Amino acid sequence: MSSNDLFERVAVIGAGTMGNGIAQVFASCGSAVTLVDVDGDALDRGVAAIGKSLARVVKKERMSQEDADAAMGRISRSTRLEDLSDRELIVEAVSERADLKAKIFRTLDEVAPASAILASNTSSISITEIAAVTGRADKVIGMHFMNPVPVMKLVEVIRGQETSDETTDAVMRASTALGKEPVEANDYPGFVSNRVLMPMINEAVFCLMEGVATKEGIDTVMKLGMAHPMGPLTLADLIGLDVCLDILEVLHRGLGDDKYRPCPLLRRMVAAGRLGRKSGKGFYDYE
Ligand code: 3HC
């Protein structure tokens, strides 16, 4: 790892599962990270989650207690985007609402230094559209981390229409310095990861709806037959069924092909508030 490639001053917007995971990996590698969330309680929960995850890494003897304490010490909190006037890289990881992201990027464009790179962890919203609300489309890029962020090796680096080679290169090198494997993708709906993953999850839900097999049966087929670490229904519960539905809608609308139509059972589960692990119930029970 070349620490020169890592940004020294980073901010992560959104203290949820993805945001706190991203903050953790940057801080663990030496960046000073400001974690931003409008909700102070969410910030407290995010920082607590980082503490818990680091404790897990220490327990596995993959990091010393001293290094974990130093990583925690590099994380500061804020509820205001205006505090980010000295950041070199800002990674947005708020919920998947295009209007919210547009508002955040407009503000970031005003408060962040002109040289700062603005990245989004969006799973499916167009980087080109996000970039278009700023006056620095060449410095806007996708940094799509996978859940759980401290464990998963991939960063899908998404180039918008106007993203420069310089920005892409800096983000690719920083991702490698984080110990991740970056892969470059162009800005089309779902990029590569969710364009391939979501139809598989959707098809697993169709199998369940049509009674092809039980939920355990479907997951076991994919785990033991295809060596997936978890079955598609368990994975959907981890990602969040609402997130899966949103991404399928983006694929369906953006690519205009009915093969991406969300399964009615997925819609019904989301309507019932069964969102997966985060709500305590999805295809499986977590209570
Ligand atoms: N923080 C730190 N370490 C963690 C962790 C966390 N939050 N979660 C798991 N780990 C570590 C464990 O300590 C363990 O370490 P070890 O190898 O040294 O023992 C290792 O990861 C494996 O964890 P577990 O033993 O608890 O459990 P599993 O072996 O079942 O692995 C899993 C859990 C890593 C989640 C694995 O099941 C997996 O890879 N599942 C697939 C996840 C996946 O596909 N993610 C992508 C989702 S799609 C996405 O994010 C894109 C979005 O746009 C939708």
Side-chain angles (χ1 to χ4, degrees), residues 197 200-201 204-205 214-239 241 277 283-284 286:
L197 175 65
M200 180 191 72
I201 287 177
V205 188
T214 61
K215 57 181 186 284
E216 293 85 359
I218 293 164
D219 276 349
T220 303
V221 165
M222 298 308 287
K223 268 174 71 177
L224 301 189
M226 284 78 195
H228 289 196
M230 44 174 56
L233 300 172
T234 306
L235 180 56
D237 278 354
L238 174 71
I239 294 169
L241 303 194
R277 280 195 200 185
F283 292 109
Y284 297 91
Y286 301 91

Side-chain angles (χ1 to χ4, degrees), residues 4-225:
N4 288 343
D5 292 336
L6 201 65
F7 293 88
E8 275 176 33
R9 295 181 304 282
V10 173
V12 179
I13 322 281
T17 308
M18 297 306 286
N20 70 56
I22 296 167
Q24 179 184 331
V25 294
F26 273 103
S28 296
C29 291
S31 300
V33 182
T34 306
L35 184 59
V36 185
D37 202 299
V38 282
D39 177 351
D41 291 342
L43 267 180
D44 290 344
R45 285 195 300 274
V47 173
I50 295 172
K52 238 170 118 181
S53 178
L54 284 172
R56 208 166 158 171
V57 180
V58 170
K59 202 168 162 211
K60 297 277 178 181
E61 297 181 347
R62 280 188 271 115
M63 190 187 245
S64 67
Q65 186 62 53
E66 203 184 359
D67 287 347
D69 292 344
M72 274 311 255
R74 283 191 282 270
I75 298 172
S76 57
R77 327 167 183 211
S78 171
T79 54
R80 292 161 25 95
L81 295 177
E82 288 71 18
D83 290 342
L84 307 182
S85 59
D86 68 343
R87 298 291 107 176
E88 298 167 317
L89 171 71
I90 302 178
V91 185
E92 166 276 316
V94 304
S95 54
E96 286 291 276
R97 280 178 36 210
D99 57 339
L100 179 61
K101 290 190 194 282
K103 191 169 160 224
I104 288 171
F105 275 79
R106 248 180 237 118
T107 308
L108 290 178
D109 194 32
E110 281 166 22
V111 301
S115 58
I117 291 178
L118 308 182
S120 175
N121 178 58
T122 182
S123 51
S124 59
I125 293 172
S126 162
I127 297 299
T128 307
E129 282 175 28
I130 293 173
V133 306
T134 73
R136 60 175 96 187
D138 60 317
K139 292 194 173 61
V140 177
I141 194 163
M143 263 186 113
H144 186 205
F145 290 83
M146 303 292 130
N147 184 14
V149 180
V151 180
M152 305 305 282
K153 281 280 181 196
L154 178 72
V155 181
E156 198 178 23
V157 175
I158 322 296
R159 288 187 76 128
Q161 177 73 33
E162 305 296 338
T163 309
S164 69
D165 290 345
E166 206 182 355
T167 299
T168 307
D169 191 46
V171 166
M172 294 288 285
R173 281 190 283 111
S175 302
T176 305
L178 288 176
K180 304 289 187 194
E181 185 88 37
V183 174
E184 204 180 307
N186 287 317
D187 187 23
Y188 288 101
F191 322 129
V192 173
S193 54
N194 282 318
R195 182 157 173 183
V196 176
L197 175 65
M198 287 302 157
M200 180 191 72
I201 287 177
N202 201 34
E203 209 53 41
V205 188
F206 271 112
C207 283
L208 183 65
M209 188 179 78
E210 292 167 11
V212 179
T214 61
K215 57 181 186 284
E216 293 85 359
I218 293 164
D219 276 349
T220 303
V221 165
M222 298 308 287
K223 268 174 71 177
L224 301 189

